[in-house]
Amino acid sequence: MVSVPSFSPLSSLRGSGRTPSQSGQRFIPVPTAQAIVDCAVYVDGKRLPGRFTHKAALARAREQPNGFVWVGLHDPDETQMEDIAATFGLHQLATDDALQRHQRPKLERYDDSLLLVLRTVSYVPHEMNSVSEIVETGEIIVFTGPDFVVAVRHGEHSGLAEVRKALEEDPEQLALGPGAVLHAIADRIVDSYIDVAQSVENDIDEMEEEIFTPRSKVTVESIYQLKREVVELRRAVNPLAAPLEQLSRKTDLPVPKEVRRYLRDVAEHHAAVAERINDFDEALSALISAALARIGVQQNTDMRKISAWVAIAAVPTMIAGIYGMNFDHMPELHQVWGYPMVWVLILAICTGLFFTFRRNKWL
């Protein structure tokens, strides 16, 4: 039995930046069951009836020749993970990885158990021209052993309830053991990559159409925002290639041969979506260049219009400046028709300049 400390350095004030000793608050341990989403025992691909604690489930699974336990956790704290680690014999380094957020996808082996870290992604609906979050990320850490699967999920999306339900409806696949669960989770995550990539591609296509539409309202800031989200998506997706390659190719890993065949298919789907995301980056770079060129053209057009109006306004300014000089002997200064003639001259020159600029498409 693992002793639970009275004070924890982080878990009681998660996100506050203070320790219990600094705040004067006493840490109250939360039972591990509060973090467990589902816990089930499977024998020959079928779920045993009843509800189990994680310890009772593991004991029951080890009583069966082909049994294993699948435990799902959501955002466990340090003491809860220590309890899970003590029950399933997880390595301390692996336990530390389960508590850390924003990790790169990776695969590590500890004796006869595996640790697979996957990044989850979710598409956030948004306005086309708004600068807002588009891709939301999280993590799933999967521990597999000869008779257990422990899935730790961080984030509010990418739940595994549908994965569990689909596997329970396919006992033949589930009978392959923990490796089948590992494949199902990886397959579900890669499928979500494909869905998010399709949504982002639709955004890019719509933005491309807007940019090349006259008088559209697409801003460079919104393109930069989408490009930043694509970079985050690429960082979540691309590093998973190496772990999937190891799982599908290495024969010394504790993964059944039949499961490796399925994992090869997942690796192929992942390679396709990773290549697709790389194309997004190139497409957005081209859109940024097009947007900047469009801004440059618009600025040149505006400058020509301003220059044309300045030239027209310079005519009356120049003539008024000339006749504003205080000389006695100036042409038409003392003539009755002098003032009207000057206005006729100003209007004639300005009208001529206006139609000249209009013909040259400066106005």
Side-chain angles (χ1 to χ4, degrees):
M1 189 70 179
V2 177
S3 60
V4 180
S6 298
F7 292 90
S8 173
L10 293 176
S11 57
S12 64
L13 291 169
R14 185 178 299 170
S16 67
R18 297 181 298 168
T19 64
S21 59
Q22 292 172 331
S23 64
Q25 297 181 2
R26 181 178 177 82
F27 170 65
I28 301 176
V30 179
T32 305
Q34 295 294 324
I36 295 178
V37 179
D38 199 355
C39 178
V41 179
Y42 299 91
V43 178
D44 294 327
K46 297 181 180 180
R47 180 169 181 162
L48 297 185
R51 301 182 64 180
F52 301 89
T53 65
H54 58 289
K55 295 179 181 179
L58 183 61
R60 184 66 180 276
R62 288 177 175 174
E63 293 174 356
Q64 307 294 331
N66 297 318
F68 71 94
V69 58
W70 179 1
V71 180
L73 299 99
H74 181 229
D75 283 334
D77 60 26
E78 185 177 352
T79 56
Q80 291 167 345
M81 272 309 302
E82 287 177 356
D83 185 18
I84 294 293
T87 301
F88 293 94
L90 304 179
H91 196 279
Q92 180 61 44
L93 293 176
T95 306
D96 294 340
D97 286 336
L99 294 172
Q100 295 179 8
R101 292 174 176 267
H102 308 298
Q103 298 186 71
R104 286 173 60 88
K106 64 179 180 179
L107 175 69
E108 293 184 357
R109 180 176 183 178
Y110 298 93
D111 297 328
D112 58 350
S113 65
L114 294 176
L115 164 67
L116 177 64
V117 178
L118 306 104
R119 293 290 300 276
T120 62
V121 296
S122 176
Y123 178 79
V124 180
H126 61 283
E127 295 292 334
M128 173 54 61
N129 296 325
S130 65
V131 180
S132 60
E133 187 178 32
I134 300 173
V135 177
E136 191 177 66
T137 61
E139 295 87 30
I140 292 181
I141 299 95
V142 184
F143 302 91
T144 61
D147 49 15
F148 68 85
V149 177
V150 177
V152 181
R153 180 167 60 92
H154 296 293
E156 299 302 325
H157 62 277
S158 299
L160 300 177
E162 294 181 0
V163 177
R164 188 185 291 265
K165 181 180 179 181
L167 275 178
E168 290 177 353
E169 293 175 353
D170 187 5
E172 184 178 351
Q173 180 73 11
L174 195 55
L176 296 174
V181 178
L182 182 66
H183 158 262
I185 294 175
D187 187 50
R188 174 67 181 84
I189 297 303
V190 172
D191 285 345
S192 70
Y193 293 165
I194 296 174
D195 295 338
V196 172
Q198 182 60 53
S199 298
V200 173
E201 184 175 8
N202 293 338
D203 283 348
I204 295 175
D205 291 342
E206 186 175 349
M207 187 170 289
E208 184 177 10
E209 184 177 354
E210 285 280 338
I211 286 177
F212 293 105
T213 299
R215 300 179 181 178
S216 62
K217 298 180 180 180
V218 175
T219 62
V220 178
E221 289 78 9
S222 61
I223 304 177
Y224 276 121
Q225 173 68 12
L226 184 55
K227 186 177 178 64
R228 189 189 70 81
E229 296 295 318
V230 167
V231 170
E232 184 176 357
L233 179 62
R234 187 176 68 243
R235 289 176 178 174
V237 173
N238 288 11
L240 185 58
L244 289 177
E245 182 69 18
Q246 296 177 45
L247 285 170
S248 60
R249 302 295 179 184
K250 282 193 172 184
T251 57
D252 59 332
L253 293 177
V255 178
K257 180 179 179 181
E258 187 66 24
V259 174
R260 287 203 303 272
R261 293 174 180 172
Y262 290 109
L263 286 169
R264 279 197 290 271
D265 183 64
V266 176
E268 291 175 0
H269 291 171
H270 177 270
V273 72
E275 182 178 354
R276 194 173 174 186
I277 292 172
N278 290 334
D279 292 340
F280 293 165
D281 195 39
E282 297 177 2
L284 286 172
S285 297
L287 287 182
I288 291 174
S289 299
L292 292 176
R294 179 181 174 181
I295 292 174
V297 171
Q298 185 61 44
Q299 289 176 342
N300 290 336
T301 301
D302 294 340
M303 286 302 300
R304 285 188 300 180
K305 290 182 179 180
I306 294 173
S307 300
W309 286 114
V310 168
I312 293 174
V315 173
T317 302
M318 179 186 67
I319 295 177
I322 292 174
Y323 279 92
M325 294 184 294
N326 296 320
F327 294 108
D328 288 333
H329 304 287
M330 295 183 67
E332 294 84 28
L333 190 62
H334 300 286
Q335 301 294 331
V336 176
W337 45 265
Y339 180 75
M341 187 194 71
V342 170
W343 272 111
V344 170
L345 179 64
I346 291 174
L347 292 175
I349 296 175
C350 289
T351 303
L353 289 175
F354 177 82
F355 284 106
T356 300
F357 290 136
R358 175 63 64 88
R359 185 173 59 252
N360 294 328
K361 297 181 179 181
W362 280 44
L363 290 175

